[in-house]
Amino acid sequence: MRVDRAQTRSNLAVSTRTCKFLFTLLTLTLLTENTMATVSELVNRMTLSEPEFYLPPELWELIFAHLAGKRVLVMRLVCHRWKTIVDRKRSLWDTLSLCVRCSTMYERFRPESLPPVTGFRMNWGTIEDVDSWWPSFGESLTRINLPTFLAGSKNLQKLSLDSCVLESLLELFTTLVALPSLRHLELKNLRMLNNDFNISTFQLTTNLESLHLNNCNSLTNAMVTRLATSSCRMKEVRLYRMPQVNDATIRNMCVKLPRLKKLALLICSVMITSAEYIVEHAHSLEYLELDGCFEFRQAMEQLLKGHHRYIECKFH
């Protein structure tokens, strides 16, 4: 009987690797967070002193998949290779959340070794500026409890939310009421899972000075009106790709916003009848930007010719 030595060596290598895989799985499962030395020793054996037992990334992913979330993060701190393997496999940390307690985030804030997570909670903290570190960390997030996340951020002056999914408008309104220093709000591609919130039962009062809404189709006309008129300090309103906005919204803003200086209505349902209302009632308006309504432009130019005031107009 002829024996294929090459095939035999291959089978032995596979068997050895399988045994090593099972041994590693058992070892890591029994590890606690205080046994980093054991982990480091294991890594050295499997990568340096015993290179024949080197495991490919795919096997490490299978091993890590059997560990609890916190232990996966512990394994991530062992070496650069394990960190790379864990970070690139989203399923290993797809259900993990990071909780920050008693911290102030400002322009010099530099959190160390932020793990990959999809959820973020902040308890008893203050947010002043997160531009320096948030982009790389925030791109993986899919879940944020907005009121909890921003609770206590009494110094927050600007809030920008892009492509966020909220449970309901109540979550947004509750957040805005709890931010007394907020002056600038920008919402882009906002989507809500529950749209049956009765806004007439909620008294929304803010200190906003500018509001930018872009493609927020989940907001009804009444919701947009309530947001835009929530502050008597409002100086600028910019609405882009908001077809639900109509003449009623514009008239409410002209009457209830005495300090309104800049108004941009881009791809909105604006009628000619609003032109006269803007000229007569928006007494502080200095700049008007409009898109997609030639008749409105003609009506505005005609009204301004025979009027004592000047409004800078930009038409697209």
Side-chain angles (χ1 to χ4, degrees):
M1 180 178 179
R2 185 177 180 181
V3 178
D4 190 338
R5 294 184 178 180
Q7 183 64 36
T8 301
R9 285 196 297 270
S10 177
N11 292 337
L12 286 175
V14 172
S15 299
T16 302
R17 180 167 293 182
T18 302
C19 292
K20 196 67 176 181
F21 170 81
L22 296 175
F23 167 75
T24 304
L25 176 59
L26 178 62
T27 303
L28 295 182
T29 304
L30 297 177
L31 285 177
T32 65
E33 296 183 10
N34 297 322
T35 55
M36 294 299 293
T38 305
V39 176
S40 299
E41 180 183 355
L42 178 64
V43 174
N44 290 331
R45 286 182 56 200
M46 300 189 68
T47 56
L48 300 176
S49 59
E50 300 180 26
E52 66 273 15
F53 294 136
Y54 178 89
L55 295 181
E58 293 76 16
L59 286 183
W60 281 118
E61 292 173 1
L62 291 176
I63 293 174
F64 294 151
H66 289 78
L67 303 179
K70 289 185 177 180
R71 290 184 177 178
V72 171
L73 297 183
V74 173
M75 298 302 106
R76 180 179 175 271
L77 299 176
V78 172
C79 62
H80 290 292
R81 184 166 183 260
W82 282 14
K83 179 179 182 297
T84 301
I85 293 173
V86 172
D87 287 357
R88 77 175 187 178
K89 190 65 175 178
R90 188 184 180 95
S91 61
L92 294 176
W93 43 269
D94 194 39
T95 59
L96 298 181
S97 295
L98 176 67
C99 181
V100 177
R101 292 185 175 90
C102 300
S103 178
T104 299
M105 300 179 184
Y106 58 101
E107 57 184 3
R108 295 183 181 180
F109 181 71
R110 294 292 187 276
E112 299 294 335
S113 303
L114 281 173
V117 294
T118 56
F120 185 82
R121 292 188 299 114
M122 184 173 181
N123 295 337
W124 302 101
T126 299
I127 301 176
E128 295 179 3
D129 191 336
V130 296
D131 289 344
S132 58
W133 62 272
W134 182 265
S136 58
F137 172 72
E139 64 181 359
S140 64
L141 297 181
T142 59
R143 307 183 311 278
I144 291 182
N145 186 311
L146 200 59
T148 303
F149 174 58
L150 296 175
S153 301
K154 59 182 180 181
N155 296 320
L156 188 68
Q157 296 184 7
K158 182 178 180 180
L159 176 62
S160 299
L161 301 176
D162 189 351
S163 303
C164 290
V165 180
L166 303 181
E167 184 65 29
S168 70
L169 189 67
L170 178 61
E171 186 176 355
L172 176 62
F173 280 11
T174 304
T175 301
L176 296 179
V177 171
L179 300 174
S181 298
L182 190 67
R183 297 293 183 267
H184 310 283
L185 176 63
E186 182 177 357
L187 304 177
K188 183 178 180 180
N189 300 318
L190 183 70
R191 188 165 64 89
M192 290 178 295
L193 300 178
N194 186 1
N195 208 13
D196 58 358
F197 171 61
N198 185 5
I199 60 174
S200 62
T201 62
F202 194 96
Q203 184 64 33
L204 179 63
T205 303
T206 69
N207 293 316
L208 290 175
E209 294 181 359
S210 73
L211 173 67
H212 293 187
L213 300 180
N214 185 344
N215 197 31
C216 298
N217 294 325
S218 293
L219 298 178
T220 64
N221 178 53
M223 295 174 181
V224 175
T225 303
R226 181 62 65 89
L227 273 175
T229 60
S230 64
S231 171
C232 61
R233 300 183 179 184
M234 194 74 72
K235 298 178 181 179
E236 178 183 355
V237 176
R238 184 177 182 86
L239 306 177
Y240 180 66
R241 292 185 181 275
M242 301 288 292
Q244 65 271 45
V245 173
N246 56 25
D247 285 354
T249 305
I250 299 173
R251 293 186 180 187
N252 271 291
M253 288 191 293
C254 291
V255 173
K256 297 181 180 181
L257 302 179
R259 301 183 184 181
L260 185 64
K261 293 184 177 182
K262 295 183 178 180
L263 177 61
L265 304 169
L266 306 176
I267 313 182
C268 299
S269 302
V270 182
M271 305 297 292
I272 303 178
T273 52
S274 293
E276 183 176 356
Y277 212 86
I278 291 175
V279 173
E280 296 295 334
H281 295 86
H283 302 295
S284 300
L285 194 66
E286 300 174 353
Y287 177 85
L288 176 65
E289 186 175 355
L290 197 69
D291 181 31
C293 186
F294 180 73
E295 293 80 5
F296 187 96
R297 174 181 178 177
Q298 287 183 320
M300 180 62 70
E301 291 177 345
Q302 189 65 30
L303 287 168
L304 290 176
K305 283 182 180 179
H307 207 275
H308 64 278
R309 61 180 300 188
Y310 170 75
I311 300 177
E312 180 184 352
C313 298
K314 182 178 181 180
F315 300 99
H316 299 280

